[in-house]
């Protein structure tokens, strides 16, 4: 499997370099930079396993303290590709140029409703029967040796925003395009988990609800890089949720920035909060079907929604997050992403005198996304975080804040940045998801077998 993943990662990296690096480095530098990136990755893999990296320290600006040479290499191999990718993606249009603020008043009420009341029950319907997924490369050999196939089944449900609208008499569903008002998901399991004649897999199967990264539509990347390895190598099931505004749920007439056709600030808030609400709904549905080893997971934007959903959920669960921030503010206000937001348009849209005023309002609207505004996760010691040391989108100090708030959680630092994280370290995320579920299973088992204090027993009897 390792050889297959390495070949896939190398082909993706070459394609990325060919499409982006020539913009500043010139085509003649591609081979050299590619060699340096691969070398840096291998050296970083070794360094990331040392105690020195496990015990990171941060300076007053939130940057990781290390040697000058290491910092320069990290910038070259991590933050620079992130900045180039961001610039190349947004060089023709910036965020919120077309939609401005949108209905942020209604979006804020929607956010409060989701934070203060339980998710409406999802009426899950199936689109397909169980079907077989194709597996290729060394993973196929592994599956053959274990006599495992991987199965999937697609389902859908009405977006909980519809029920919230009726319950609160607020037109929350109007925040979503009509195409986003039906949620879509794919349930992927190893065949060994499905008993003959059963609709659902064995209830002792660990299952993670996985949200998607910004701009990543459909199931393909998560299916190939996460679900298949998890099913074959670790026996884990996954529920891949299609985010609102994305894929099947994208408005047919949508235009805008490449990252998901989110045209207004209200769209951004609605996208995040709806995704969290739906993840919570899917956890409730899975629990009602008898599944108890449950978790949430996501990468980048998906890391934000998955961590918040785990914190909001009324169902006991764990979390695994890849390139996670502690809040949306950390990414949109205090990283490279700030440069791709059109604060001039936002200031004009609200008749604000300065762009700084638009920034302050935008920052304030995102404050409720801070993980520290949620109750700490009950099983935070089972959480596994994978973070990049030179991420230009997610400041390392932001991941550290999440880690410190969720007491006992583990951060697995990898070298490089956001882009190289997706290219090189998806396999690290696979094991983080499986390890978090295994730790959660163990923690629940220990809790169930721990004698209850006499005072607590008396309280329950009363």
């Amino acid at each position: 499997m390792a050889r297959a993943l390495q070949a896939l990662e190398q082909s993706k990296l070459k394609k990325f370099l060919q499409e982006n690096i020539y913009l500043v480095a010139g085509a003649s530098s591609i081979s050299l930079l590619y060699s340096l990136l691969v070398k840096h990755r291998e050296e970083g893999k070794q360094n990331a396993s040392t105690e020195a990296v496990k015990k990171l320290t941060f300076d007053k600006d939130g940057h990781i303290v290390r040697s000058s040479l290491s910092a320069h290499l990290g910038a070259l191999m991590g933050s620079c590709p992130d900045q180039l990718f961001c610039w190349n993606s947004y060089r023709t249009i910036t965020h919120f140029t077309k939609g401005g603020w949108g209905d942020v008043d209604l979006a804020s009420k929607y956010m409060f409703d989701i934070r203060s009341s339980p998710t409406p029950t999802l009426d899950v319907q199936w689109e397909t029967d169980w079907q077989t997924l194709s597996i290729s490369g060394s993973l196929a050999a592994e599956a053959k040796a274990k006599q495992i196939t991987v199965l999937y089944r697609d389902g859908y449900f009405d977006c909980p925003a519809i029920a919230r609208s009726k319950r609160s008499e607020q037109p929350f569903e109007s925040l979503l395009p009509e195409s986003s008002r039906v949620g879509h998901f794919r349930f992927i399991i190893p065949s060994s988990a499905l008993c003959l004649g059963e609709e659902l897999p064995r209830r002792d199967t660990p299952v993670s609800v996985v949200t998607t990264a910004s701009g990543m539509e459909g199931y393909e990347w998560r299916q190939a890089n996460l679900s298949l390895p998890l099913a074959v190598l670790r026996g884990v099931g996954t529920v891949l949720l299609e985010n609102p505004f994305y894929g099947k749920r994208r408005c047919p007439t949508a235009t805008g920035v490449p990252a998901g056709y989110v045209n207004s600030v209200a769209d951004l808030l609605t996208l995040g909060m709806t995704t969290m609400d739906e993840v919570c709904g899917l956890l409730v549905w899975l629990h009602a079907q008898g599944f108890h080893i449950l978790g949430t997971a996501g990468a980048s934007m998906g890391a934000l929604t998955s961590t918040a959903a785990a914190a909001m959920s009324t169902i006991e669960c764990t979390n695994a997050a890849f390139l996670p921030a502690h809040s949306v503010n950390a990414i949109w206000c205090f990283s490279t992403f700030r440069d791709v937001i059109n604060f001039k348009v936002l200031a004009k849209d609200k008749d604000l005198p300065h762009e700084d005023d638009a920034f302050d309002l935008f920052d304030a609207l995102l404050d409720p996304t801070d993980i520290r505004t949620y109750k700490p996760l009950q099983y935070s010691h089972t959480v596994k975080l994978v973070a990049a040391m030179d991420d230009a989108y997610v400041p390392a100090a932001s991941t550290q804040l999440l880690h410190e708030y969720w007491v006992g959680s583990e951060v697995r630092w990898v070298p490089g940045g956001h882009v190289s994280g997706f290219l090189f370290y998806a396999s690290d995320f696979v094991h983080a998801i499986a390890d978090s579920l295994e730790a959660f299973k163990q923690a629940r088992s220990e809790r169930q077998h721990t004698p209850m204090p006499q005072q607590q027993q008396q309280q329950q009897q009363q």
Side-chain angles (χ1 to χ4, degrees):
M1 179 188 175
R3 287 195 300 270
L5 283 172
Q6 186 178 25
L8 179 63
E9 289 165 353
Q10 290 177 353
S11 66
K12 288 179 179 177
L13 176 60
K14 286 180 177 177
K15 182 179 179 183
F16 164 76
L17 290 172
Q18 289 166 355
E19 292 178 350
N20 295 276
I21 298 302
Y22 77 91
L23 294 168
V24 294
S28 61
S29 302
I30 292 176
S31 297
L32 174 61
L33 190 54
Y34 170 71
S35 300
L36 284 171
L37 278 165
V38 172
K39 184 173 184 289
H40 178 66
R41 178 213 180 187
E42 296 306 319
E43 292 175 349
K45 271 281 194 181
Q46 296 172 6
N47 293 337
S49 64
T50 66
E51 289 300 317
V53 175
K54 289 180 182 178
K55 299 177 180 178
L56 294 175
T57 56
F58 296 84
D59 63 22
K60 60 182 179 62
D61 296 318
H63 300 125
I64 298 171
V65 176
R66 54 196 157 148
S67 70
S68 177
L69 176 60
S70 176
H72 286 309
L73 277 173
L76 177 62
M77 308 309 172
S79 57
C80 284
D82 288 350
Q83 290 165 353
L84 285 168
F85 185 79
C86 187
W87 178 83
N88 192 33
S89 298
Y90 297 100
R91 67 186 188 277
T92 58
I93 186 170
T94 51
H95 269 292
F96 316 131
T97 298
K98 293 188 175 182
W101 293 97
D103 193 348
V104 290
D105 292 335
L106 182 60
S108 296
K109 292 177 182 177
Y110 180 48
M111 184 184 296
F112 177 79
D113 192 81
I114 289 174
R115 290 288 301 266
S116 60
S117 62
T119 301
T121 302
L122 300 184
D123 181 18
V124 170
Q125 303 293 323
W126 294 110
E127 293 183 73
T128 66
D129 292 325
W130 290 106
Q131 300 181 44
T132 303
L133 278 175
S134 61
I135 311 173
S136 59
S138 58
L139 191 60
E142 187 85 23
K144 184 177 180 181
K146 292 183 175 182
Q147 297 184 325
I148 291 175
T149 57
V150 179
L151 307 174
Y152 79 92
R153 194 177 193 188
D154 291 341
Y156 65 93
F157 52 85
D158 285 337
C159 178
I162 298 172
R164 288 189 179 277
S165 295
K166 295 176 181 176
R167 189 168 68 189
S168 64
E169 298 183 350
Q170 293 280 351
F172 294 141
E173 64 185 278
S174 66
L175 292 165
L176 292 156
E178 190 172 343
S179 55
S180 286
R181 296 175 193 174
V182 175
H184 295 272
F185 70 92
R186 174 165 290 181
F187 201 167
I188 299 176
I189 59 167
S191 57
S192 56
L194 189 67
C195 298
L196 188 65
E198 290 288 325
E199 285 283 307
L200 290 168
R202 293 198 320 268
R203 303 319 190 261
D204 61 350
T205 304
V207 178
S208 182
V209 181
V210 185
T211 54
T212 191
S214 180
M216 192 177 286
E217 299 186 279
Y219 305 124
E220 286 73 17
W221 189 89
R222 289 175 292 166
Q223 182 173 285
N225 292 278
L226 304 178
S227 297
L228 287 174
L230 279 166
V232 173
L233 301 176
R234 303 293 296 267
V236 171
T238 48
V239 174
L240 308 183
L241 175 65
E242 182 83 275
N243 286 6
F245 299 92
Y246 282 64
K248 287 183 178 181
R249 308 180 70 180
R250 173 156 44 103
C251 179
T253 59
T255 59
V257 296
Y261 305 98
V262 178
N263 287 323
S264 70
V265 176
D267 287 349
L268 176 66
L269 297 173
T270 302
L271 164 61
M273 296 307 297
T274 303
T275 302
M276 291 155 50
D277 206 20
E278 291 177 350
V279 170
C280 289
L282 285 168
L283 288 172
V284 170
W285 173 73
L286 286 164
H287 189 266
Q289 307 307 310
F291 297 96
H292 297 288
I293 309 169
L294 297 171
T296 64
S300 188
M301 179 183 70
L304 283 163
T305 53
S306 73
T307 53
M312 274 183 16
S313 177
T314 57
I315 302 300
E316 292 181 349
C317 65
T318 187
N319 172 259
F322 186 52
L323 310 173
H326 78 290
S327 71
V328 178
N329 310 59
I331 298 174
W332 288 81
C333 299
F334 302 104
S335 79
T336 299
F337 258 84
R338 177 174 177 169
D339 298 330
V340 298
I341 298 173
N342 197 329
F343 286 109
K344 184 177 180 179
V345 166
L346 293 180
K348 184 178 179 181
D349 195 34
K350 283 283 187 183
D351 293 324
L352 300 171
H354 303 291
E355 292 182 31
D356 288 346
D357 298 316
F359 171 82
D360 290 341
L361 177 57
F362 180 69
D363 188 26
L365 283 169
L366 299 180
D367 280 345
T369 67
D370 192 320
I371 196 67
R372 295 169 298 180
T373 65
Y374 296 83
K375 290 190 300 184
L377 195 63
Q378 182 178 359
Y379 288 91
S380 61
H381 60 289
T382 67
V383 169
K384 310 298 179 186
L385 311 173
V386 182
M389 297 176 69
D390 293 286
D391 196 323
Y393 304 158
V394 179
S398 177
T399 302
Q400 189 70 9
L401 285 173
L402 170 61
H403 165 56
E404 290 172 357
Y405 187 64
W406 279 358
V407 177
S409 60
E410 178 188 357
V411 185
R412 301 175 179 181
W413 292 97
V414 297
H418 212 80
V419 172
S420 61
F422 278 95
L423 292 171
F424 288 142
Y425 298 109
S427 58
D428 292 64
F429 189 29
V430 167
H431 294 298
I433 293 171
D435 291 346
S436 68
L437 289 164
E438 183 63 34
F440 177 67
K441 178 182 178 181
Q442 180 67 25
R444 288 186 77 251
S445 176
E446 291 173 356
R447 182 184 174 193
Q448 289 169 357
H449 291 91
T450 300
M452 188 181 296
Q454 186 175 359
Q455 184 179 2
Q456 194 174 347
Q457 286 182 356
Q458 292 172 350
Q459 288 175 350
Q460 285 199 358
Q461 289 171 359
Q462 292 173 359

